[in-house]
Amino acid sequence: MNPPSSILPSTDGDDLAILNTTFVAISEFILSIPGSAGVLRYIKTSYQDDPFRVVLELILVFFAIQYMSAKKYKIDDNAVKLTSKEIDELVTEWTPEPLVPPLSDQDRLDLEKSTLITGAQGPKPRVGSNQKPLLNLASANYLGLCSSDRIKEKAVQTLREYGVGSCGPPGFYGTIDVHMDLERNIAQFLGVEEAIIYAQGFSTISSVVPAFAKRGDVIVVDDGVNFAIQKGVFISRSNVRWFKHNDVNDLERVLEDIRVEDLVLKKRLTRRFIVTEGLFQNHGDIAPLPKIIELKRKYKYRLILDESQSFGVLGRRGAGLTDLFDIPAQEVDMIVGSMATSLCSAGGFCAGSHEIVDHQRLSGSAYCFSASIPAMLAVSTSEALAILSSTPTLLTDLHDRARLLRSILAHRSLTPLIDLYAPEPDHPAPFLHIRARETFLASRLRDGERAVPREDEERLWQEVVDECANQGVMITRAKYVVKQEVNCPRPSVRVCVSAAHTRKECEKAAGAVKSAIVKVFGRWRK
């Protein structure tokens, strides 16, 4: 028989008393902490009407506790333990990857046929083991200033006064008075507000474009521009649209397509640029600047014009494309040029308004992170500009030599063999490209070939270069980055003229190129 409940010990009451005492002690401890009353009041008001927040934070707390208590992962936990013998065997069998890829046949050809000038640069340098100087039709020494005694004297004097170089970027301690003088001289020569100089010609345009065009902006580019412009366009990560080389109708079509797309898709307004060359390095023709400026105004674009090949040679004063077409330089937003061609120095420049130039001093990567141009080269460039301004006969002689060269190479005996770029007798460009005519290449196809391989065409022109050297004339094949060019031109030789050559020398050199083409083309693939 069970005893009555009244005489059993009451455990429920004791448990509740202990629990209540514990809660009271915890509450008193929490309230004794400074600021705890405010925290409790915040928790009460925050969670009483938001149960979802309570659930979410509890889940986060749960995962935090789980993560902190989980086993730590170590990289070498699953590593296979090898014996010393196994390690030695693996080391013996290991073959490291080459630091550079293996040379292709084209690379070997370029290395084997590289021209080594053993004397001073100029219109008649000594090349390799040849004792007799060669007439130089391979360099961009258009005005012949590389051998100017006046520039040499200024360079030596500056070297003794300033030393070799600043070894610092222009924005830190690399800018000195001769740099500012050169920027002022370039701006005055072009007729713009300001100019900025860079230490490398290639990196000038490839730094100017991404300094202004960013992701989401629009760049419309001629598909015949040189490789430096292409790199600058790609680095900008902008939306790039290409138009056919020197085709203003196709340019207008592209600009109109972009305008219609913006209206249909209601795109936001972004920065927009047209990028082209003045005198195309890979083609030898000239951009139709008046029509491009007309389209730029119509569609509200900014124009970036690369005058690396045209500055110093085109126009009445040699001021480039704006001078040639008698257009104020202010109509072009950014004029970019090289000082390594007609000005016989190094580096490049960008000219425009004060805002354009000032922005590059903090945003032009090649300006901010490269050492400034040596003082002697800056002075040499300023002196070359002074010579160009005071000696207009340099341009007259240059255009006369170019006209003579074209007239000889346009002879009807060469018509079935080659194409000239550009062929017009009065074309002002100081160089031209010579490419094999398509019909000639088709006549030399071998069994099973649809087209002559590019390597064979390069070797054809290398034979012409070698034959010209045997006749006392130095020319060179045009070099392209074949696998990276947007629209890589066909193989060619690039023949340059110089005001330092006499008419007789130019006539002799053109005759040598003509006879070399006839001789080599006549025996090729027979």
Side-chain angles (χ1 to χ4, degrees):
M1 184 174 181
N2 294 327
S5 58
S6 58
I7 64 173
L8 290 175
S10 178
T11 58
D12 292 341
D14 295 340
D15 292 340
L16 289 174
I18 294 172
L19 190 61
N20 185 51
T21 304
T22 303
F23 278 126
V24 170
I26 293 173
S27 299
E28 291 176 351
F29 173 74
I30 292 174
L31 291 174
S32 65
I33 300 173
S36 58
V39 174
L40 292 174
R41 188 163 54 252
Y42 168 76
I43 294 174
K44 181 178 179 181
T45 56
S46 298
Y47 292 100
Q48 62 182 358
D49 297 325
D50 194 357
F52 175 75
R53 179 176 176 179
V54 176
V55 174
L56 178 61
E57 295 195 359
L58 287 175
I59 293 173
L60 292 176
V61 170
F62 170 76
F63 278 109
I65 295 173
Q66 185 184 39
Y67 174 79
M68 296 297 294
S69 60
K71 183 180 179 182
K72 300 298 184 291
Y73 171 75
K74 295 183 179 179
I75 296 177
D76 57 350
D77 279 351
N78 298 323
V80 178
K81 304 298 182 183
L82 299 176
T83 64
S84 299
K85 181 179 179 181
E86 289 172 332
I87 292 174
D88 292 339
E89 290 176 351
L90 290 174
V91 171
T92 304
E93 295 173 358
W94 178 68
T95 303
E97 290 288 335
L99 294 177
V100 295
L103 294 177
S104 64
D105 293 340
Q106 186 61 49
D107 294 332
R108 290 191 180 90
L109 175 65
D110 292 338
L111 288 175
E112 292 170 2
K113 298 298 182 178
S114 295
T115 301
L116 178 63
I117 296 178
T118 56
Q121 173 66 281
K124 299 178 183 178
R126 294 186 181 276
V127 180
S129 58
N130 291 340
Q131 297 300 319
K132 187 177 180 181
L134 303 182
L135 282 171
N136 188 358
L137 268 66
S139 71
N141 182 27
Y142 303 131
L143 300 178
L145 297 179
C146 274
S147 54
S148 170
D149 293 333
R150 175 176 165 182
I151 293 178
K152 289 179 182 178
E153 291 174 4
K154 280 283 187 178
V156 172
Q157 179 183 349
T158 306
L159 177 63
R160 290 172 177 166
E161 183 177 354
Y162 289 91
V164 176
S166 64
C167 299
F172 190 24
Y173 55 85
T175 298
I176 53 180
D177 54 350
V178 294
H179 295 134
M180 295 184 287
D181 292 341
L182 176 56
E183 292 177 345
R184 192 180 308 112
N185 293 337
I186 293 174
Q188 290 175 354
F189 185 77
L190 285 171
V192 296
E193 291 183 5
E194 288 189 30
I196 182 174
I197 58 173
Y198 290 78
Q200 300 90 20
F202 183 93
S203 63
T204 301
I205 185 65
S206 58
S207 177
V208 170
V209 174
F212 294 94
K214 307 296 182 182
R215 188 189 299 274
D217 295 337
V218 177
I219 306 179
V220 181
V221 194
D222 188 303
D223 68 2
V225 295
N226 62 57
F227 188 63
I229 298 177
Q230 296 174 32
K231 297 305 291 183
V233 167
F234 293 148
I235 292 171
S236 71
R237 299 177 296 177
S238 302
N239 299 322
V240 182
R241 300 285 292 270
W242 303 89
F243 66 93
K244 295 178 183 178
H245 173 57
N246 249 1
D247 189 338
V248 290
N249 293 326
D250 194 56
L251 170 60
E252 186 170 12
R253 177 192 61 81
V254 173
L255 297 178
E256 182 64 22
D257 288 347
I258 295 174
R259 188 188 69 83
V260 173
E261 288 177 11
D262 292 345
L263 291 176
V264 172
L265 301 177
K266 297 181 180 179
K267 292 184 178 179
R268 65 183 181 89
L269 184 63
T270 58
R271 289 176 291 252
R272 294 163 185 234
F273 302 87
I274 297 173
V275 181
T276 188
E277 283 187 82
L279 175 58
F280 286 87
Q281 178 179 317
N282 294 340
H283 301 274
D285 50 358
I286 295 173
L289 185 60
K291 182 62 177 177
I292 293 176
I293 290 180
E294 179 184 333
L295 294 175
K296 148 188 143 61
R297 291 174 179 168
K298 177 180 178 181
Y299 291 94
K300 305 298 187 294
Y301 277 65
R302 294 180 175 90
L303 175 59
I304 302 177
L305 180 65
D306 184 0
E307 299 233 49
S308 294
Q309 298 298 323
S310 53
F311 183 77
V313 297
L314 295 187
R316 181 178 51 85
R317 300 183 300 109
L321 217 58
T322 55
D323 188 18
L324 178 67
F325 289 106
D326 196 22
I327 295 174
Q330 294 87 346
E331 295 290 338
V332 180
D333 298 277
M334 282 162 268
I335 298 177
V336 182
S338 172
M339 300 184 293
T341 52
S342 58
L343 298 182
C344 73
S345 183
F349 65 87
C350 179
S353 65
H354 170 76
E355 292 78 15
I356 289 291
V357 169
D358 198 47
H359 177 76
Q360 293 176 67
R361 300 199 188 277
L362 292 177
S363 299
S365 55
Y367 182 85
C368 294
F369 302 109
S370 296
S372 59
I373 184 174
M376 60 179 176
L377 293 179
V379 171
S380 298
T381 309
S382 293
E383 196 65 24
L385 283 173
I387 294 174
L388 178 59
S389 300
S390 61
T391 318
T393 55
L394 283 176
L395 294 174
T396 305
D397 292 343
L398 178 64
H399 297 156
D400 177 68
R401 307 299 183 266
R403 192 160 40 245
L404 178 61
L405 179 74
R406 280 184 168 82
S407 64
I408 295 175
L409 294 180
H411 193 270
R412 60 186 179 183
S413 63
L414 295 179
T415 303
L417 305 178
I418 63 171
D419 288 320
L420 300 181
Y421 299 82
E424 297 83 4
D426 293 329
H427 198 282
F431 67 89
L432 57 84
H433 286 267
I434 308 176
R435 293 186 170 92
R437 190 176 285 270
E438 295 280 1
T439 53
F440 169 78
L441 295 176
S443 68
R444 293 295 194 271
L445 290 177
R446 292 170 177 166
D447 294 340
E449 284 185 340
R450 290 188 173 183
V452 175
R454 187 180 182 91
E455 293 77 10
D456 289 7
E457 204 172 342
E458 293 279 9
R459 292 185 181 278
L460 165 65
W461 286 116
Q462 185 58 51
E463 291 182 27
V464 173
V465 171
D466 295 340
E467 182 60 31
C468 286
N470 294 335
Q471 299 186 33
V473 176
M474 182 173 70
I475 63 174
T476 184
R477 288 183 294 116
K479 302 299 193 301
Y480 306 106
V481 189
V482 177
K483 295 182 179 179
Q484 299 184 39
E485 296 268 2
V486 171
N487 189 14
C488 187
R490 289 175 47 224
S492 66
V493 290
R494 186 170 180 262
V495 183
C496 306
V497 295
S498 173
H501 293 144
T502 64
R503 282 185 60 87
K504 186 176 180 180
E505 288 172 339
C506 188
E507 187 175 355
K508 175 186 174 182
V513 174
K514 174 186 170 184
S515 63
I517 291 173
V518 172
K519 182 177 180 179
V520 172
F521 276 52
R523 72 190 182 206
W524 186 63
R525 283 197 162 202
K526 279 191 174 181

